[in-house]
Amino acid sequence: EDKVVQSPLSLVVHEGDTVTLNCSYEVTNFRSLLWYKQEKKAPTFLFMLTSSGIEKKSGRLSSILDKKELFSILNITATQTGDSAVYLCAVEALRDQGAQKLVFGQGTRLTINP
Amino acid sequence: EAQVTQNPRYLITVTGKKLTVTCSQNMNHEYMSWYRQDPGLGLRQIYYSMNVEVTDKGDVPEGYKVSRKEKRNFPLILESPSPNQTSLYFCASSWTFDQPQHFGDGTRLSIL
């Protein structure tokens, strides 16, 4: 059974700290790994990773994938209160009939205190 | 503005009373999908549609129906809702199935 596990499930830090969120996976027919940020409403797309070892960056956020060890990390430096959200990791895999499926982890709830 | 629009945003109803949650996207996306989000379980796919008139079951399709008569709309139908379908539902779309999906703002359903 395909599985995506995120850790920690919850994290509370002070503004300015650096955080690392973890995502490990076991899926067949891996295609890509995606990170989403979910505040009060819709998940919004952050990164899509397909190749090992290539860091993707967007401002203070960065992410990297290790396809050999089957995990990814999401780093946030100099955190701000606006970074408070649930961060979702999802792995794209292929169903038997060739269509895509997204397998989501449980999410990490990040709280940034001023 | 590019968006995925779901209606209603909130609904409280009773067991057995048929309901439909609408989903519409204005990005001309081929691929659309429905998810439910439950505490501790993450998002799970209910149904998806690769393009018009093509739909297929996701991981938790029991008790749901969908249709894709036109590209922009992908309604989710609960013919006889039950309390275990109380959840937060998201509709999503993308150009193709292997592109990042855009999510709607969610529909919170409570079935009493």
Side-chain angles (χ1 to χ4, degrees):
Chain A
E1 183 186 343
D2 295 328
K3 191 167 57 174
V4 176
V5 177
Q6 294 185 244
S7 64
L9 293 181
S10 181
L11 184 58
V12 181
V13 300
H14 290 292
E15 203 167 20
D17 288 351
T18 293
V19 297
T20 298
L21 309 183
N22 303 293
C23 175
S24 64
Y25 62 90
E26 291 177 34
V27 301
T28 53
N29 296 316
F30 173 91
R31 300 265 299 182
S32 64
L33 186 144
L34 299 96
W35 285 96
Y36 286 86
K37 178 183 182 181
Q38 185 178 21
E39 295 175 87
K40 294 195 175 160
K41 298 189 281 189
T44 53
F45 171 72
L46 294 174
F47 296 111
M48 182 175 183
L49 303 153
T50 55
S51 302
S52 267
I54 299 174
E55 185 183 53
K56 292 221 171 173
K57 280 182 73 80
S58 176
R60 295 176 293 102
L61 278 69
S62 64
S63 184
I64 198 161
L65 173 67
D66 185 328
K67 287 167 74 173
K68 183 179 175 189
E69 300 297 329
L70 308 183
F71 78 91
S72 173
I73 59 172
L74 175 69
N75 277 324
I76 309 175
T77 59
T79 52
Q80 302 170 357
T81 54
D83 294 327
S84 295
V86 175
Y87 289 83
L88 301 171
C89 174
V91 173
E92 184 194 351
L94 283 183
R95 295 182 184 277
D96 292 340
Q97 56 269 43
Q100 168 258 22
K101 68 173 176 177
L102 272 184
V103 183
F104 281 86
Q106 320 94 300
T108 293
R109 182 174 296 279
L110 177 63
T111 303
I112 311 295
N113 287 329
Chain B
E1 181 190 348
Q3 58 187 4
V4 179
T5 304
Q6 297 178 224
N7 279 297
R9 295 289 317 284
Y10 304 92
L11 179 63
I12 302 174
T13 187
V14 295
T15 299
K17 186 176 180 183
K18 180 179 177 180
L19 67 92
T20 299
V21 185
T22 63
C23 173
S24 181
Q25 50 93 5
N26 63 0
M27 296 168 279
N28 206 35
H29 285 167
E30 295 281 348
Y31 183 87
M32 296 187 76
S33 183
W34 275 102
Y35 297 88
R36 60 179 288 174
Q37 187 175 34
D38 301 290
L41 295 176
L43 282 101
R44 293 176 293 165
Q45 192 177 49
I46 304 171
Y47 268 95
Y48 63 93
S49 170
M50 301 283 276
N51 49 47
V52 176
E53 300 293 359
V54 179
T55 65
D56 211 342
K57 296 177 181 177
D59 298 308
V60 287
E62 295 78 20
Y64 305 95
K65 285 173 58 176
V66 293
S67 69
R68 187 93 182 272
K69 296 191 170 83
E70 48 191 340
K71 186 183 276 191
R72 64 183 292 125
N73 296 323
F74 190 44
L76 179 70
I77 303 155
L78 285 73
E79 293 269 4
S80 183
S82 61
N84 65 11
Q85 293 177 297
T86 292
S87 188
L88 178 59
Y89 290 84
F90 287 100
C91 180
S93 72
S94 57
W95 288 109
T96 58
F97 69 83
D98 57 352
Q99 295 296 309
Q101 292 177 37
H102 298 256
F103 284 81
D105 282 343
T107 295
R108 189 167 290 282
L109 285 184
S110 293
I111 316 293
L112 304 177

